[in-house]
Amino acid sequence: MRLYAVVAAGGFRRYATYRVATFAGIFANTVFGFILAYTYLALWDERPGLGGYDQAQALTYVWLGQALLMTCAMLGGSFQDELIERIRTGDVAVDLYRPADLQLWWLAGDLGRAAFHLLGRGIVPMVLGALAFDLALPSHPLVWAAFLFAVLLAVVVSFAIRYLVALSAFWLMDGAGVGQMAMLVGMFFSGQLLPLTLFPGALGAVARALPWSSMLQIPVDVLLGKRTGWGLVEAYAFQAGWAVALLALGRLLQGVATRRVVVQGG
């Protein structure tokens, strides 16, 4: 485990070196946060209580979405593009022969990346949003702890999805198309555009049952106090269940791909 802790720390330091990109990201998240906030204000002025949120909760949803956008890599990217390139060039064969688990190696690095983005690109827009608008932020530290644990599970689910996207390159030789589709689906079904509670009927039920809801909708509801007691346990179980299932599928495909590389190499 020490090896993977070092990899995670390395992932944090790696993204911390891109200071200009970080400042640009903070600026972009803040600008889009204000655009969405005023859009939500207009919408909630017309329809108070829409989706089960009051106006302060809706604005909190907006700024948490900006804080978690890069933390959960809802636009894809990060290790995904690098792994796809290594698969395309064949360099992944070296990775498979290393005395380290391929999936855990990339997961550890992605956790370090997520930790940096939560601190580097999450806190500042959230603070600016709180200064400009009346947000429904909890005061009890246990609520924040529950939220952070939900974010951790959200990052693992996000990683598992992106890992599957990257592994598709073993068969497609270029995962760019799959990555684009995954990004569009993820943006829609994570609740990044609109809370999933606004989706009508069967569409809403399906959206809330898909793994992408773990990445934003559930962490937001935890922070807003809509998931307490057994509801909180069920939320964690939902996230953990998807994380385990997707990681297991990734490990299965990784095993198939490894045998393919060994056969071709032989």
Side-chain angles (χ1 to χ4, degrees):
M1 293 303 296
R2 182 180 178 183
L3 169 64
Y4 301 112
V6 172
V7 174
F12 186 97
R13 289 195 300 271
R14 175 183 179 182
Y15 283 88
T17 60
Y18 301 118
R19 296 181 179 87
V20 175
T22 298
F23 287 122
I26 290 172
F27 178 78
N29 287 144
T30 302
V31 170
F32 280 107
F34 274 98
I35 292 173
L36 286 173
Y38 282 111
T39 302
Y40 273 45
L41 279 174
L43 183 58
W44 259 258
D45 281 340
E46 291 294 324
R47 296 283 301 275
L50 187 62
Y53 300 111
D54 60 29
Q55 191 175 84
Q57 291 173 331
L59 291 172
T60 305
Y61 189 102
V62 167
W63 290 102
L64 284 175
Q66 293 305 304
L68 297 182
L69 180 64
M70 290 301 295
T71 302
C72 293
M74 295 179 193
L75 300 178
S78 68
F79 83 92
Q80 174 184 306
D81 295 338
E82 184 177 351
L83 181 53
I84 287 174
E85 181 63 18
R86 292 187 69 80
I87 293 172
R88 189 187 67 80
T89 60
D91 291 340
V92 71
V94 177
D95 301 334
L96 292 171
Y97 281 106
R98 287 174 179 165
D101 183 84
L102 184 70
Q103 188 184 58
L104 288 178
W105 176 279
W106 290 105
L107 174 57
D110 199 55
L111 289 174
R113 174 207 60 79
F116 171 76
H117 281 310
L118 182 62
L119 297 174
R121 290 185 60 169
I123 290 179
V124 175
M126 193 71 194
V127 170
L128 293 175
L131 291 174
F133 301 96
D134 182 22
L135 304 186
L137 298 176
S139 57
H140 202 293
L142 288 181
V143 178
W144 285 101
F147 166 71
L148 290 176
F149 187 68
V151 171
L152 173 62
L153 292 175
V155 172
V156 176
V157 172
S158 171
F159 165 82
I161 293 172
R162 286 175 288 127
Y163 191 70
L164 290 173
V165 171
L167 290 182
S168 69
F170 275 110
W171 291 271
L172 301 178
M173 296 307 296
D174 185 359
V178 177
Q180 288 292 324
M181 289 188 293
M183 180 193 72
L184 294 174
V185 171
M187 286 291 290
F188 185 76
F189 285 111
S190 67
Q192 182 64 225
L193 301 178
L194 282 172
L196 300 183
T197 53
L198 270 64
F199 288 20
L203 176 61
V206 170
R208 290 188 292 272
L210 292 175
W212 291 279
S213 65
S214 298
M215 295 161 57
L216 178 58
Q217 185 69 57
I218 288 180
V220 170
D221 283 345
V222 169
L223 188 71
L224 293 177
K226 294 183 176 294
R227 300 276 190 157
T228 59
W230 280 110
L232 180 60
V233 174
E234 290 173 354
Y236 288 158
F238 177 83
Q239 289 181 295
W242 270 117
V244 170
L246 293 171
L247 288 173
L249 179 58
R251 186 162 291 277
L252 176 63
L253 293 180
Q254 175 184 313
V256 173
T258 299
R259 288 192 291 273
R260 181 181 180 185
V261 170
V262 170
V263 170
Q264 290 179 345

